[in-house]
Every structure is written in structure tokens, then in C-alpha cells.
């Protein structure tokens, strides 16, 4: 009798734990859960697979929730020794459609519309600059 109760309790505990693990595995937060209304409009990745990989993303936002902008940047891919940049523009503002490689990633005519720049360096240092071109 005791053995049967113990077995049933262990089975129930195991099923509950397994259910919790599956729920956490399949229902991870994503960029769609952020409240800033972020939409990716353009992306660049260089073809260099043996050296530093550079990612550049152009995104539009509905709201400037700075914490959401940094979280979105953290969701973006990054390679060891590479560099990831995310340029944020307000929805409806003029923004570049073709980012490119290097230190200047788009036509400077769009600089005024850029509200934030997320950058993850080769060493993994994260920096979110508000209004990066207003200096």
C-alpha cells in the first residue's frame, strides 16, 4: 500500500516537472513580446566566415522604450571577434534600406532620424547610445 502511494506521488511529481520544463522550453520570450513595436527593415552580414563577422540591422520602432531596445539588440546574433550594430529609427521616419560594411554603415543623410544605436563589440561589450549622431 505504501509502495503504491509513493509510486503514484513520484509519477505525478515527474509529470508536473516534465510539463514545466516543456512549457519553459517552448514558450521563451522573443522580440515579438517587446512593447516598443520593433520591425526589422534591413540587414547586412559580411561574407567573411574566417575573420570578424559584422552584422548591421536597421529597425523601426513605435516607442522609445530604451530597455526594450537593448533587449532586442541582445536577441540579435553575435560572433566571437565580430561586431553587431542595430540602428533604431522611429516608425514613419526616413531610414536606410541598404546597410553596408565598415564604420559608416549607411548614407549620413539618414543620421538625423536615428534615435539609438545598439552595439556589441568584438569583446562582447554592449553599448546603447541614445541619439548617437546628435553631438
Amino acid at each position: 500500500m505504501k509502495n503504491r502511494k509513493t509510486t503514484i506521488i513520484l509519477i505525478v511529481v515527474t509529470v508536473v516537472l516534465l510539463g514545466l520544463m516543456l512549457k519553459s522550453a517552448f514558450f521563451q520570450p522573443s522580440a515579438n513580446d517587446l512593447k516598443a513595436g520593433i520591425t526589422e527593415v534591413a540587414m547586412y552580414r559580411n561574407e567573411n566566415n574566417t575573420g570578424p563577422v559584422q552584422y548591421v540591422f536597421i529597425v523601426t520602432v513605435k516607442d522609445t522604450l530604451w530597455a526594450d531596445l537593448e533587449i532586442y539588440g541582445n536577441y540579435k546574433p553575435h560572433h566571437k571577434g565580430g561586431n553587431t550594430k542595430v540602428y533604431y529609427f522611429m516608425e514613419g521616419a526616413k531610414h536606410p534600406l541598404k546597410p553596408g560594411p565598415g564604420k559608416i554603415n549607411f548614407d549620413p543623410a539618414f543620421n538625423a532620424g536615428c534615435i539609438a544605436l545598439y552595439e556589441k563589440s568584438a569583446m562582447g561589450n554592449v553599448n546603447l547610445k541614445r541619439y548617437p549622431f546628435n553631438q
Side-chain angles (χ1 to χ4, degrees):
M1 190 72 120
K2 274 188 176 181
N3 236 358
R4 189 168 174 85
K5 282 185 179 181
T6 306
T7 304
I8 290 173
I9 290 172
L10 285 175
I11 289 173
V12 168
V13 168
T14 303
V15 168
V16 168
L17 287 175
L18 186 61
L20 290 172
M21 287 189 297
L22 288 173
K23 180 185 178 237
S24 68
F26 288 111
F27 296 101
Q28 293 289 318
S30 70
N32 296 334
D33 299 327
L34 300 175
K35 293 177 176 71
I38 300 171
T39 305
E40 184 176 316
V41 294
M43 181 235 174
Y44 169 81
R45 181 196 187 276
N46 66 339
E47 297 298 324
N48 190 359
N49 288 324
T50 58
V53 176
Q54 184 179 23
Y55 285 102
V56 179
F57 297 92
I58 307 295
V59 299
T60 60
V61 297
K62 292 180 182 176
D63 195 2
T64 57
L65 299 171
W66 302 112
D68 278 4
L69 302 187
E70 185 166 353
I71 291 169
Y72 181 81
N74 289 333
Y75 283 152
K76 290 297 164 190
H78 178 73
H79 286 68
K80 181 178 168 184
N83 187 319
T84 299
K85 293 180 184 177
V86 182
Y87 292 94
Y88 297 95
F89 293 83
M90 289 304 292
E91 191 174 65
K94 291 186 178 184
H95 57 274
L97 296 175
K98 290 211 173 216
K103 292 187 181 203
I104 300 173
N105 301 112
F106 52 82
D107 184 358
F110 296 107
N111 287 357
C114 184
I115 61 163
L117 166 61
Y118 170 94
E119 186 169 8
K120 191 172 215 177
S121 70
M123 299 302 290
N125 299 329
V126 172
N127 188 9
L128 179 69
K129 296 178 191 170
R130 298 177 187 186
Y131 306 102
F133 300 108
N134 293 351
Q135 282 140 16

